[in-house]
Amino acid sequence: GEDGEDGEDGGDGGDGDRLGSVGRCGSVGTGVSRALYVLRGFCKNPANGAMLLVFVVLAMGMCIIEDMVFLYFSESLHASNLLMGGTVVVTVIFEIPIFAYSQRCLSRLGPNTLLTMAILCYSTRVVGYTMVPPSHGWLVLILEPLHGITYACSKTALIEFVARATEMGFEATAQGVMQSLTSGVAPLVALPLAGFITDSVGANYLYRGAACMVRPRVGFCG
C-alpha cells in the first residue's frame, strides 16, 4: 500500500537494491505529483524507459485488435456471430492457465521473456489474420490461442516489471500510471489512427503495419 501525504519514507537502506527505484516516498505528496514523480523516475533509467515504451507500443497494437477485430471478422471474413463468440472462448481458455501459474512462469522465465513471447505471438497472430481467406473464416480459431498468450504474458510481465522498478511506497501509484498509459493513452492514440488507415488503405495493411510496429520492440526486452 502507499503512505499518506504525511507518511514516512517507503523503506530503509535495503530499498536501494530495488531495480530502478524512483525516489523517496516521503518527499512526494499525493495525486498527480506522485504520478509525475513515478513517470520521471521511469524515464531517468534508460532500461526502464525502454521497457515503458515497449509496453505502451504493445498496448497500442493490442487495443487495435481488442476494439476492431470483430469489425474485421464481419466485413472482411464474413464471420458469423457464432464464430466470433467462439474466438473469445478460445482466447480465454488459453489465458486462464497462464494467469493461474503466473508466479511459476515468472520464476522460470522472468518478465522480459514473457514480454518477448507476448510480442512474438501478437505479431504472428495479426499477420495471420490477413492471410485467412474469407471462404475459410473458421481458420481464425487456430490463431486465437496466440491472443490468450499475448494478453496473459503481457499483463503478468507488466505487473512484475512495475513491482521491480518501483521503490517501496509507490507501488500502487506506479501501477496506476502504467494502466493509464496502456489502457488510456495507447487507445487514444492508436484507435483514431487505426480507423484512418483502415478507411484509407484497408484493414490488411492496418494489421500488417501493427505487426511491423510491435515486432521490433523485441530488441528492447533483453
Side-chain angles (χ1 to χ4, degrees):
E2 295 186 14
D3 295 333
E5 183 171 354
D6 297 322
E8 298 296 331
D9 287 353
D12 55 21
D15 295 330
D17 295 333
R18 295 175 67 102
L19 176 63
S21 64
V22 295
R24 299 181 181 275
C25 181
S27 64
V28 182
T30 58
V32 175
S33 61
R34 291 175 67 88
L36 292 175
Y37 190 70
V38 167
L39 186 58
R40 285 197 299 268
F42 279 132
C43 295
K44 286 180 181 178
N45 184 305
N48 289 346
M51 289 293 286
L52 179 67
L53 175 64
V54 173
F55 281 114
V56 171
V57 171
L58 178 59
M60 292 174 64
M62 290 178 64
C63 76
I64 293 173
I65 297 298
E66 293 170 356
D67 294 334
M68 300 182 67
V69 74
F70 283 165
L71 185 64
Y72 178 76
F73 287 167
S74 176
E75 294 185 353
S76 298
L77 302 181
H78 311 298
S80 65
N81 291 337
L82 179 61
L83 176 58
M84 289 189 284
T87 63
V88 177
V89 173
V90 174
T91 294
V92 174
I93 287 175
F94 280 81
E95 288 175 9
I96 292 175
I98 297 176
F99 282 129
Y101 293 96
S102 59
Q103 193 58 48
R104 186 176 300 179
C105 292
L106 284 169
S107 63
R108 292 187 177 182
L109 301 175
N112 287 7
T113 300
L114 290 178
L115 183 57
T116 298
M117 290 172 57
I119 292 173
L120 294 177
C121 287
Y122 174 86
S123 303
T124 302
R125 175 180 171 229
V126 294
V127 172
Y129 283 158
T130 66
M131 301 174 68
V132 173
S135 58
H136 294 78
W138 59 270
L139 289 173
V140 298
L141 294 174
I142 299 175
L143 298 169
E144 285 309 296
L146 297 177
H147 177 57
I149 297 172
T150 298
Y151 185 84
C153 287
S154 65
K155 294 298 183 182
T156 301
L158 173 62
I159 292 173
E160 180 67 12
F161 162 73
V162 174
R164 293 186 182 187
T166 307
E167 185 182 353
M168 186 176 297
F170 285 97
E171 294 95 333
T173 298
Q175 295 288 352
V177 168
M178 290 300 291
Q179 290 300 318
S180 297
L181 291 173
T182 57
S183 300
V185 175
L188 182 65
V189 174
L191 291 177
L193 181 60
F196 174 77
I197 294 173
T198 301
D199 289 340
S200 300
V201 295
N204 283 352
Y205 286 97
L206 169 66
Y207 290 121
R208 291 170 185 171
C212 293
M213 175 183 70
V214 172
R215 176 62 178 80
R217 305 287 86 75
V218 167
F220 295 165
C221 300

